[in-house]
Amino acid sequence: MIFTPEKLKIKDQRMRPFIDANELWGYLKQSKATKERVREIIAKSLDKNRLTLQETAILINADEPDLIEEIKQGAKALKEKVYGQRIVLFAPLYIGNMCTNNCSYCGFKASNKKIQRVTLNNQDLVDQVKALEDAGQKRLILVYGEHPWYNAKFIADTVRTVYSVKSGPGEIRRVNINAAPLDIDGFRTVKDAGIGTFQIFQETYHEETYMKVHLSGVKRNYDWRLTALDRAQEAGIDDVGIGALFGLYDWRFEVMGLVRHTNHFEAVYNVGPHTISFPRIQHASEMKISADHTVSDEAFTRLVAILRLAVPYTGLILTAREPAAIRNEIMQFGVSQIDGGTNIEIGGYTKDGATEPQAADKQSSAKQNIDREQFQISDNRSLNEIMEELIDQKYIPSFCTACYRLGRTGEHFMEFSVPGFIKRYCQPNALMTMAEYLEDYAPPETKIKGYAMLQEKLDEIDDKTLKDKLEANLRKIKEGARDLYF
Ligand code: SAM
Ligand code: SF4
């Protein structure tokens, strides 16, 4: 059954479903990609303008290898121009895998009898957070199945617990959420616990496909999910994260759906989504999905570059679902956040070797337990290995949470829209959080590399006042001060 707004008793016009498959396909069928148009569109994006649906469709239809290359180079230039070389790091923490839905792609689906159902109790949660803090993490995303146990109060309680855990110099400074849609009161309850971003992925914007892959449970209600983040905004949560699960339907359509969703937020709330995620389907226990829409590595790279250009002010998140090589390749085309030291087994962070720096081999055998996990991840590197690789590749790893802590909502939007913001705030803050990591958690080799990069970046700062302030703060960090930011 298709749920209409009337059946859902949605009275608020703002929460009317806004995806029209014919409209999106219409753009894709009618937009022709000439070299001139593609170049104009890339230039428009490099001028920091969001693209229209038609312009996005033109980039999607640009199939010739040299045009694809121009799009990728455009995305790379935009990332460098707008965001610089910082990459924000976070880790996912799975709280519980009870689930009443039957999403055919997910190992947690209710019909999967092979999976062990686990929910962290308060002590387990504290232990997991301690282990994450001991590895150097500062930003987490808490992940939940959809189940009456995981109601708004439960989610808010887990958020408060996470913030309360302090292990040595460690603390979690930003807790994001990936959980099932709530009603407005529910979102308010979770907001009051001090969350950062609330993420909900539509999975597929194509309703017919949506109904095919969501076999039963509340999640089968396409409109309830599509309007979920409108309810979050109504509840005062300004930082919302959207996403599509690539591989369910044609990637071209899903990119259009993500851009349409973005336009909708801009039109109604005057602010686009804080982040966009683009997970690709990975193998999962008892997964039953046709391979008709499998997204190749080449198409995946293309779609990330197109998204970067289409929505230049939004953070793009790339997760450990993808192998290290793909992550390294795609990061240059506009990704702003990645997870590091990821373990998606429930309770997995306290297993032997799970958070030790450079314990990747140990981790991979400990981690790949398909009957305890939602799906298989492909990047098992420890946080420290990722830190080192980022530094080697001249990225600045960042755990910065300054905007959120100072009430500057929409950190990525600030970076994008306020001239000079990155130089004055983001980059120095990233360097200070990196210095904290180097002092508290890094093995000697990483520390040497990290401080060498820090010096290089300091030398590049021309603003003397800023440089002096930053140097003073870095000295304070060496002497034991923590949590300094501009
Ligand atoms: N249960 C909630 C829900 O479905 O919204 C919250 C989180 S769910 C655990 C997180 C996301 O994982 C889903 O939104 C989906 O996009 C993604 N996911 C599920 N199965 C996957 C698979 N086999 N491969 C990659 N990502 C998957
Ligand atoms: Fe449950 Fe979410 Fe998995 Fe669907 S994707 S089965 S709702 S955990």
Side-chain angles (χ1 to χ4, degrees):
M1 162 159 122
I2 307 281
F3 290 81
T4 62
E6 288 67 33
K7 280 186 192 133
L8 279 164
K9 298 202 173 49
I10 294 174
K11 295 203 185 78
D12 192 329
Q13 291 298 308
R14 288 167 292 191
M15 290 185 208
R16 279 194 170 263
F18 44 83
I19 295 284
D20 176 347
N22 292 331
E23 180 197 30
L24 299 186
W25 271 123
Y27 281 121
L28 283 168
K29 286 189 179 135
Q30 285 152 26
S31 310
K32 218 175 136 358
T34 62
K35 197 172 264 181
E36 293 67 39
R37 267 311 270 143
V38 169
R39 286 184 178 160
E40 271 168 30
I41 293 167
I42 295 173
K44 177 178 171 185
S45 175
L46 282 168
D47 256 355
K48 295 178 136 192
N49 298 300
R50 177 181 57 69
L51 302 182
T52 62
L53 282 168
Q54 190 182 37
E55 289 160 345
T56 308
I58 292 175
L59 296 189
I60 290 173
N61 286 337
D63 283 326
E64 285 173 27
D66 55 336
L67 283 186
I68 294 175
E69 193 49 37
E70 285 193 34
I71 290 171
K72 286 198 213 164
Q73 291 312 318
K76 199 170 164 185
L78 184 76
K79 174 172 161 62
E80 280 161 17
K81 181 174 162 192
V82 176
Y83 295 99
Q85 292 305 101
R86 286 161 312 114
I87 295 280
V88 172
L89 288 159
F90 69 95
L93 172 55
Y94 277 68
I95 304 292
N97 64 4
M98 302 284 291
C99 197
T100 48
N101 291 323
N102 271 305
C103 310
S104 37
Y105 46 82
C106 178
F108 292 168
K109 62 171 136 335
S111 65
N112 186 1
K113 302 292 173 231
K114 282 192 181 163
I115 197 118
Q116 298 166 34
R117 303 285 166 180
V118 192
T119 302
L120 297 179
N121 65 28
N122 201 58
Q123 189 55 50
D124 297 333
L125 177 56
V126 170
D127 292 345
Q128 293 301 300
V129 176
K130 277 190 178 157
L132 284 155
E133 288 178 358
D134 292 345
Q137 304 281 2
K138 296 283 186 278
R139 302 170 63 113
L140 299 185
I141 180 150
L142 308 188
V143 187
Y144 310 74
E146 180 156 4
H147 190 273
W149 284 9
Y150 311 144
N151 59 20
K153 183 178 175 307
F154 176 89
I155 295 175
D157 288 346
T158 51
V159 172
R160 289 199 172 91
T161 302
V162 171
Y163 280 130
S164 73
V165 177
K166 312 273 173 204
S167 179
E171 60 180 353
I172 299 302
R173 298 176 182 159
R174 180 170 170 124
V175 177
N176 298 329
I177 301 290
N178 187 322
L182 300 169
D183 59 17
I184 294 177
D185 283 343
F187 279 119
R188 262 192 213 115
T189 303
V190 175
K191 178 189 157 55
D192 289 346
I195 61 157
T197 311
F198 204 117
Q199 279 186 357
I200 295 175
F201 305 155
Q202 186 58 28
E203 318 299 9
T204 171
Y205 286 93
H206 190 251
E207 188 166 358
E208 216 180 297
T209 305
Y210 189 94
M211 300 313 283
K212 273 191 208 148
V213 296
H214 297 107
L215 304 172
S216 63
V218 184
K219 192 161 169 182
R220 208 170 140 71
N221 186 332
Y222 174 91
D223 291 344
W224 176 249
R225 196 164 178 93
L226 190 64
T227 54
L229 292 171
D230 289 70
R231 295 191 296 282
Q233 305 249 18
E234 293 294 315
I237 299 176
D238 312 315
D239 277 4
V240 297
I242 62 173
L245 180 57
F246 281 87
L248 294 177
Y249 188 57
D250 194 318
W251 67 264
R252 297 166 180 84
F253 184 88
E254 305 296 13
V255 170
M256 294 295 283
L258 289 166
V259 175
R260 179 70 189 88
H261 205 160
T262 300
N263 299 353
H264 165 74
F265 284 148
E266 278 183 10
V268 183
Y269 306 101
N270 223 2
V271 57
H274 181 55
T275 53
I276 298 184
S277 301
F278 30 85
R280 260 197 307 185
I281 293 184
Q282 308 297 316
H283 177 62
S285 167
E286 300 289 90
M287 183 167 97
K288 290 185 186 72
I289 280 290
S290 105
D292 292 356
H293 297 293
T294 301
V295 179
S296 67
D297 291 349
E298 197 253 317
F300 192 55
T301 315
R302 244 175 102 185
L303 77 86
V304 175
I306 293 170
L307 276 173
R308 173 69 300 148
L309 291 169
V311 195
Y313 61 75
T314 297
L316 294 185
I317 303 181
L318 180 63
T319 69
R321 289 175 179 87
E322 299 297 335
I326 299 273
R327 294 231 279 182
N328 289 342
E329 162 77 7
I330 286 180
M331 242 163 21
Q332 50 177 327
F333 301 120
V335 170
S336 42
Q337 295 190 27
I338 62 169
D339 51 344
T342 294
N343 189 320
I344 64 169
E345 181 175 342
I346 298 178
Y349 288 113
T350 46
K351 292 216 153 165
D352 274 356
T355 53
E356 282 168 27
Q358 292 163 347
D361 294 345
K362 263 203 246 167
Q363 282 182 51
S364 45
S365 54
K367 279 182 165 184
Q368 300 289 300
N369 182 349
I370 194 69
D371 288 333
R372 282 182 71 117
E373 293 173 4
Q374 190 190 13
F375 48 80
Q376 261 175 341
I377 59 168
S378 304
D379 185 350
N380 289 316
R381 288 173 296 172
S382 68
L383 178 60
N384 193 68
E385 284 174 299
I386 296 215
M387 293 288 291
E388 247 195 62
E389 277 201 43
L390 288 174
I391 294 167
D392 286 343
Q393 293 161 23
K394 303 282 177 217
Y395 288 107
I396 308 172
S398 174
F399 297 95
C400 179
T401 51
C403 280
Y404 160 69
R405 320 267 299 298
L406 289 167
R408 298 190 295 236
T409 307
E411 50 190 343
H412 297 303
F413 188 73
M414 301 294 291
E415 294 163 9
F416 176 78
S417 56
V418 181
F421 193 87
I422 292 183
K423 274 198 177 158
R424 269 184 289 139
Y425 298 99
C426 308
Q427 184 140 322
N429 286 339
L431 293 172
M432 286 189 274
T433 58
M434 182 169 94
E436 284 188 349
Y437 177 86
L438 298 177
E439 288 299 316
D440 294 336
Y441 305 104
E445 206 180 307
T446 317
K447 199 166 172 177
I448 293 168
K449 281 186 186 176
Y451 271 115
M453 166 187 259
L454 236 157
Q455 192 54 52
E456 270 174 37
K457 297 292 161 196
L458 269 170
D459 293 343
E460 287 169 10
I461 302 178
D462 335 304
D463 178 340
K464 177 148 172 15
T465 320
L466 175 67
K467 190 172 173 179
D468 289 349
K469 272 198 211 158
L470 179 57
E471 277 177 331
N473 275 0
L474 290 169
R475 271 194 302 277
K476 284 188 201 158
I477 290 171
K478 280 200 170 161
E479 288 157 15
R482 293 290 172 269
D483 203 15
L484 306 177
Y485 47 82
F486 297 135

